[in-house]
Amino acid sequence: MAATPVSAEGALAAQFKRKQRHPALDVTIRVAKNPVGAVFGGMIVILIIMAITAYWITPYDPLQTSIETFRSPNWTHPFGTDDIGRDQYTRVIYGSRPALTVGILSVFLGVGTGSLIGLVSGFFGGKLDLILQRFVDGVVALPALVLILALVSVLGPSLRNAVIAIAVVSAANVSRVIRGAVISLKQNIYIEAAKTLGATNIRIMLRHVLPNVVAPILILISSSMGSAVLLDASLSFLGLGTQPPAPSWGLMLATSGRRYMETAPYLAIIPGIFISMTVLAFNMVGDTVRDILDPRLRGSR
Amino acid sequence: MGQYILRRLLLAIPTLVVVSILVFSLVRLVPGDVVMARLSESGYVTPEQLAQMRSELGIDRNPVVQYLDWGSGVIRGDFGKSLWDDNEVLPTIVGRMGISMEIAVFAILTAVCIAIPLGVISAVRQNSWVDYVARLFAVTGLSLPDFWIATMLLLFLSVKVHWLPEFGWYRPWEHPWQNFLAIIFPALIVGYRFSAVSARMTRSAMLEVMREDYVRTARAKGLRDRTVVVKHALRNGLIPVITIMGSQVSFLLGGLVVLEQIFSLPGMGRYTYDAVIHRDYTVVQGTVMVMASVYILVNLAIDLTYALIDPRIRYS
């Protein structure tokens, strides 16, 4: 290197000057540069508002049956009515509630516990790591849907149990990623320094390790919501998620949707579009978050 | 190499033991058991009859004794009998596995044929229309639920084409054409998700590899673009792609549960689903053990192919 100390310092100063932007502003600018992500983010916001305000924006009761069965979509019933005369528009809007609740809650629960397991397992290593990882291996080796089916059949089909089951699967996967990150972080000299200074393990974990895995944790949260919504939809499609007569997209598709597919195709098409759009929106936002936080992994999964 | 395989196989044993304990305790926590499910149709049953049936099936014993009994059977290749219809579990699984494997192999083949070329073109022509189409293909593949695609496909076939694949399964050597028609749609649907994931991975791996110095060197030597991409870049780019394909096997098996249900195919997925519904402990345990073993073996095989792709990788 021919650089003199002065110019090296100058380069360093220039680098810091460039980085002086406030992190919040920085993120805002990067979001603005990713309009696709912002559009899909807006879609998720709309879906959430829809789920919260379902009572006020729907003209009927989701469970109210009537004699007007199998009406094709029209002005009074925008999405038509089903086999027992329930308004599909109302049911589809209400159906966003279980989908979003399970999608969001299970991911937070799963990523939370998974991160904790990964942190502890990677940081302490040794026998504890060996034992914890065998359990994680066991869960990962099972097809997610099969494990969730088995868990739900044990716990009983309900919204809460769907959340728990999906969280278990995501926790196992998350803990692997975080464990890997923690193990490579542990090599850093500053961890050694903190140890030498007599910092406790908990302090090192919270102050020196955790802040460095925030980015992968955020990426995991945003990228697993799409698949969590999808798993929940599969679960209710198989009849082990939200129980009838409560409205849920997967269930609507599986029951009236498939049974009257040929005479009333809208009963199968519309709930499917809603599932797909929700999952797509979460996936696109997940990709954007990943691009922002980790440009190296652009476009991968 | 031989030693490496042996060590990996030994390491799989604790994982399988954990899986077996996990699934064994899981299915046993079910409120209500197979006896209730079996007798639910036969009207009034006395408590004595229930107890007698439970002891006949051996499910009134201590769970630890039951586990050891079952576990030692599994080691000897005896997975026990179904509690629902008294059929031997392992032969039934073997009989039904053919269908699922056929679907899986077709799915993986289509995925490999679509995903890798698509991912490569998409990376080489980054930000071109081909790239956008490929990315759209991939992101929809990840977002559309398999059961919805299947429903829409059946809707399209029955309403527009006035033809539906005959439900049920035929032996490939007796009715090869019917067999093909029965499995091709579920295979394509499962393969769609599989190729979506693989295409994304191929694209990002290729983007990374194409920026490496040795690729520039290869170009500078005056090699044709095609040679550089296929011989130099793709070889290194394939490793993460194959890794992710291994982890997708789990999704594939899960997808079979749903699709075999929709297309009424008597495969492994359907068997598992029915067993979960009937609370048929031995069958759930058996299918889950087989699926976990498949997953572990496939991933071992994948680790071994790394050396074929990249001779620098040595196993020790």
Side-chain angles (χ1 to χ4, degrees):
Chain A
M1 287 288 254
T4 61
V6 179
S7 72
E9 243 166 55
L12 213 61
Q15 202 182 352
F16 275 112
K17 213 171 197 171
R18 194 147 36 87
K19 280 201 171 171
Q20 254 172 6
R21 206 190 272 155
H22 189 273
L25 179 69
D26 196 52
V27 168
T28 321
I29 289 174
R30 289 191 204 191
V31 170
K33 280 184 189 163
N34 277 290
V36 179
V39 167
F40 285 100
M43 235 169 87
I44 291 174
V45 173
I46 293 174
L47 275 167
I48 292 175
I49 294 175
M50 204 171 91
I52 295 172
T53 60
Y55 179 81
W56 295 279
I57 58 173
T58 51
Y60 304 91
D61 182 283
L63 305 180
Q64 180 62 52
T65 57
S66 75
I67 47 162
E68 294 183 36
T69 58
F70 296 119
R71 291 291 147 92
S72 301
N74 57 44
W75 282 112
T76 40
H77 299 287
F79 294 168
T81 60
D82 68 3
D83 50 329
I84 48 177
R86 293 176 297 195
D87 179 52
Q88 278 292 294
Y89 166 74
T90 309
R91 288 177 69 73
V92 164
I93 298 287
Y94 271 95
S96 61
R97 285 182 172 178
L100 292 177
T101 319
V102 174
I104 294 172
L105 283 187
S106 67
V107 165
F108 277 106
L109 190 65
V111 173
T113 23
S115 306
L116 193 68
I117 297 172
L119 206 60
V120 169
S121 186
F123 188 80
F124 291 108
K127 281 212 181 82
L128 180 74
D129 180 41
L130 199 71
I131 295 169
L132 279 175
Q133 286 311 305
R134 288 293 81 68
F135 272 93
V136 169
D137 281 352
V139 174
V140 172
L142 295 176
L145 190 62
V146 172
L147 183 65
I148 291 171
L149 277 181
L151 273 169
V152 168
S153 77
V154 170
L155 301 168
S158 76
L159 192 102
R160 190 197 61 193
N161 296 338
V163 170
I164 295 174
I166 296 172
V168 168
V169 173
S170 103
N173 288 309
V174 167
S175 84
R176 276 191 162 182
V177 177
I178 300 298
R179 174 179 173 268
V182 170
I183 287 177
S184 76
L185 274 172
K186 251 188 5 184
Q187 317 288 331
N188 282 326
I189 234 103
Y190 61 81
I191 303 283
E192 202 63 41
K195 266 191 195 146
T196 320
L197 286 173
T200 58
N201 281 331
I202 302 228
R203 188 184 161 81
I204 297 176
M205 269 203 271
L206 293 182
R207 300 261 328 181
H208 302 281
V209 178
L210 191 61
N212 283 304
V213 290
V214 166
I217 289 178
L218 286 177
I219 293 175
L220 284 165
I221 289 180
S222 59
S223 64
S224 17
M225 277 189 189
S227 41
V229 173
L230 204 55
L231 277 173
D232 172 56
S234 311
L235 202 58
S236 60
F237 180 81
L238 291 172
L240 288 165
T242 315
Q243 290 301 296
S248 129
W249 298 335
L251 194 66
M252 288 160 72
L253 219 167
T255 52
S256 56
R258 282 207 339 119
R259 201 167 306 142
Y260 308 107
M261 191 172 80
E262 281 160 36
T263 46
Y266 49 88
L267 292 178
I269 295 172
I270 293 168
I273 290 177
F274 272 79
I275 302 172
S276 309
M277 292 315 281
T278 310
V279 179
L280 180 71
F282 275 122
N283 281 343
M284 295 303 283
V285 170
D287 280 3
T288 310
V289 171
R290 176 185 303 251
D291 285 352
I292 290 172
L293 294 177
D294 189 355
R296 253 181 339 106
L297 287 172
R298 196 152 296 164
S300 71
R301 174 156 277 261
Chain B
M1 180 87 166
Q3 245 187 346
Y4 175 79
I5 298 179
L6 195 71
R7 216 184 46 220
R8 281 288 302 267
L9 287 176
L10 286 177
L11 212 69
I13 293 173
T15 308
L16 283 175
V17 171
V18 168
V19 169
S20 72
I21 296 176
L22 219 67
V23 68
F24 189 88
S25 36
L26 206 69
V27 286
R28 242 140 270 258
L29 291 171
V30 185
D33 57 21
V34 66
V35 173
M36 300 299 272
R38 244 169 103 157
L39 294 180
S40 62
E41 290 131 28
S42 51
Y44 181 73
V45 199
T46 62
E48 289 77 39
Q49 276 174 300
L50 282 177
Q52 192 203 346
M53 199 159 172
R54 288 200 176 106
S55 85
E56 268 169 24
L57 294 168
I59 55 175
D60 58 346
R61 294 170 300 160
N62 181 334
V64 178
V65 175
Q66 285 188 54
Y67 175 73
L68 293 177
D69 193 33
W70 173 71
S72 69
V74 168
I75 295 169
R76 282 179 277 118
D78 171 17
F79 281 58
K81 280 182 180 171
S82 158
L83 301 175
W84 178 255
D85 57 12
D86 291 330
N87 285 330
E88 287 280 341
V89 175
L90 194 59
T92 316
I93 290 179
V94 171
R96 285 171 165 241
M97 196 130 102
I99 307 165
S100 303
M101 292 237 300
E102 218 184 317
I103 301 176
V105 168
F106 260 98
I108 294 172
L109 277 182
T110 38
V112 169
C113 295
I114 297 172
I116 293 177
L118 202 64
V120 170
I121 297 170
S122 167
V124 172
R125 306 243 176 284
Q126 194 186 357
N127 293 329
S128 67
W129 67 268
V130 191
D131 185 24
Y132 287 122
V133 170
R135 281 157 75 181
L136 189 71
F137 167 83
V139 82
T140 46
L142 288 173
S143 308
L144 303 185
D146 44 9
F147 53 85
W148 190 58
I149 304 180
T151 311
M152 290 299 102
L153 185 78
L154 291 177
L155 180 64
F156 173 77
L157 289 178
S158 75
V159 174
K160 296 279 173 212
V161 188
H162 299 290
W163 172 85
L164 278 178
E166 247 177 279
F167 289 113
W169 188 69
Y170 301 86
R171 287 172 203 289
W173 51 88
E174 284 167 9
H175 302 279
W177 179 240
Q178 269 109 324
N179 171 273
F180 176 77
L181 284 183
I183 64 146
I184 187 66
F185 295 114
L188 286 178
I189 295 168
V190 186
Y192 184 23
R193 190 193 162 88
F194 205 88
S195 34
V197 177
S198 318
R200 275 165 74 104
M201 199 67 213
T202 311
R203 177 176 181 273
S204 71
M206 284 300 284
L207 280 177
E208 207 156 303
V209 171
M210 295 293 283
R211 294 198 192 104
E212 299 259 340
D213 287 342
Y214 79 92
V215 172
R216 196 187 311 144
T217 311
R219 283 235 165 88
K221 280 199 303 191
L223 293 180
R224 279 186 311 157
D225 256 10
R226 205 193 163 88
T227 321
V228 174
V229 171
V230 175
K231 287 224 161 135
H232 292 249
L234 185 60
R235 226 178 151 123
N236 267 321
L238 270 183
I239 289 189
V241 177
I242 291 177
T243 311
I244 208 155
M245 282 183 170
S247 67
Q248 286 294 306
V249 167
S250 143
F251 269 106
L252 206 150
L253 292 171
L256 289 180
V257 173
V258 176
L259 290 170
E260 284 176 6
Q261 189 72 15
I262 296 178
F263 290 90
S264 324
L265 291 169
M268 273 276 281
R270 182 92 183 278
Y271 195 37
T272 314
Y273 176 75
D274 289 345
V276 166
I277 297 297
H278 293 152
R279 313 231 187 285
D280 192 342
Y281 307 147
T282 42
V283 173
V284 176
Q285 287 159 15
T287 52
V288 165
M289 287 304 285
V290 169
M291 285 186 185
S293 314
V294 167
Y295 179 84
I296 290 170
L297 287 178
V298 166
N299 279 283
L300 174 60
I302 281 175
D303 281 0
L304 295 175
T305 56
Y306 292 159
L308 293 178
I309 298 172
D310 186 346
R312 285 170 306 179
I313 294 176
R314 292 265 174 278
Y315 300 103
S316 54

